[in-house]
Amino acid sequence: MKILGIDTSCDETSIAILEIKKEKIKVLANVISSQVKIHQKYGGVFPSLAKREHQKNLIIIFKEALKNANLLKRKTFKLNFKNIENILKRDEELLINFKEFFKKYGFSRIDLISITQGPGLEPCLFVGINFAKALSLVSKTKILPINHIKAHLFSSFLSFDKIPKILFPALGLIVSGGHTQLLLLKSFKNIKTIGQTKDDAAGECLDKTARILGLPYPGGPQIEKLALNCKSNFFNIKLPRPMIYQKNYDFSFSGLKTAVYYDFSKRPKEIRNSLKYKQEMAKEIQEAVFDSLLIKTKRAILDLNIKTLLTGGGVFSNKLLREKITLLSKELNVDLFLPEREYCTDNGAMVALTGYLEINFMNFKKYGKITAKPNLNI
């Protein structure tokens, strides 16, 4: 089974092709086009600009993915461009690129197209969905809409040669720029959200506190870099760990962000602009965010008799968080599934894999019209 995975949920355009045979996974291609440099001057993702970049880049990376997977063919399909124009009428640049590509090329058989339908930025989601619909029309391949959170949840499976066996009940911890959630899995078919952030996501908190310190976007990697080089505790910075004493599995990070702002504001200019202060603040920000995550995760594991811990999301690229979650899993004797760094951020491979899991392991249902669902949850 060859599966094409497409993700345009935010500021990364990604297309991947997976081959899965007898549950053996082979990533034939996983191409990602990042928009980080484009959005840096705005200090965050600018949705309409992100949408235009997806329109511009989709065919480019689609061709590259086909080439990497050895599926690109000179033989073209018989096309009804009028129908394609109806699908891509709001994506003018993508339509032009689409027509040019299919006048020259085709591709070998794909068995399934998996497309992220949410959560994410609505304008960006629609570009990917429309592209998937146009591809489906060309190749007569079925489309399966995928929940982006589920894709992150199972992204660690891409590091295995075969779909791994996991022990239930399992806990999922998703930590990214847009999402911070704890998920309880009683089986592949029974997944529910048991905790989530009440305000900012953890990754969003890292980005916003980095901005307070005058660091460029994205802030998470900048915070990590400064924290790694911190060798002192001269300023004795203490930040809160919000909601850790509440008997639930929810998170909150907006108060932490405010505490950073107050500490920064009260410091003399020469101190808050100093490298030593920024390093110490970055270290404490990381510790505060990760302590909050780990305390709630530990509580859920003990309360719910968890056997397996699944992790995913861009913040798991952070070295310290990876170390801390590994130590916690050993302390509590639970199996840990931690994605490789290349699969932590948004990527088409996790979307393709989740399509396979939906059909073979989960509660796959028939669906109606595929549309963007920016607030989709589990």
Side-chain angles (χ1 to χ4, degrees), residues 51-52 54-60 79-103 127 130-131 134-135 137-138:
K51 174 187 173 180
R52 288 198 295 271
H54 290 312
Q55 291 170 336
K56 184 172 77 174
N57 293 327
L58 268 168
I59 285 294
I60 296 170
L79 299 183
N80 184 334
F81 281 123
K82 188 169 182 61
N83 289 339
I84 292 164
E85 286 168 1
N86 288 335
I87 294 170
L88 299 177
K89 59 187 175 184
R90 295 183 180 176
D91 302 295
E92 190 175 337
E93 187 170 4
L94 176 56
L95 175 60
I96 292 167
N97 294 339
F98 193 97
K99 284 181 176 181
E100 287 300 311
F101 176 85
F102 281 104
K103 283 175 183 176
V127 176
N130 291 339
F131 178 60
L135 284 181
L137 187 66
V138 165

Side-chain angles (χ1 to χ4, degrees), residues 63-77:
K63 182 180 176 182
E64 187 178 342
L66 290 174
K67 213 170 185 179
N68 292 349
N70 199 28
L71 297 178
L72 185 66
K73 302 295 179 185
R74 281 284 177 181
K75 186 179 178 182
T76 60
F77 297 97

Side-chain angles (χ1 to χ4, degrees), residues 99-237:
K99 284 181 176 181
E100 287 300 311
F101 176 85
F102 281 104
K103 283 175 183 176
K104 297 177 184 177
Y105 302 103
F107 54 89
S108 299
R109 182 183 166 187
I110 297 287
D111 300 294
L112 180 69
I113 298 171
S114 293
I115 174 67
T116 299
Q117 73 165 161
L121 299 174
E122 188 172 30
C124 299
L125 292 166
F126 265 120
V127 176
I129 289 169
N130 291 339
F131 178 60
K133 288 178 178 178
L135 284 181
S136 175
L137 187 66
V138 165
S139 60
K140 296 180 174 56
T141 306
K142 289 184 179 180
I143 310 174
L144 184 63
I146 298 298
N147 185 310
H148 188 72
I149 302 296
K150 274 189 185 178
H152 274 306
L153 182 63
F154 299 115
S155 58
S156 58
F157 289 10
L158 292 162
S159 306
F160 292 81
D161 293 329
K162 191 174 182 180
I163 302 292
K165 307 294 183 188
I166 70 170
L167 297 173
F168 295 102
L171 186 73
L173 174 62
I174 307 300
V175 189
S176 69
H179 311 284
T180 303
Q181 289 180 258
L182 278 171
L183 306 164
L184 175 63
L185 296 83
K186 293 184 178 179
S187 69
F188 280 115
K189 294 180 181 180
N190 188 342
I191 306 173
K192 69 175 182 177
T193 302
I194 60 168
Q196 57 190 330
T197 181
K198 295 298 184 182
D199 37 64
D200 293 348
E204 184 183 4
C205 176
L206 293 170
D207 285 340
K208 286 181 176 178
T209 52
R211 195 171 183 177
I212 292 169
L213 298 179
L215 303 174
Y217 174 85
Q222 303 295 329
I223 292 284
E224 180 179 18
K225 187 177 178 181
L226 283 172
L228 282 171
N229 292 313
C230 181
K231 308 296 181 187
S232 65
N233 190 28
F234 180 79
F235 297 104
N236 194 31
I237 301 167

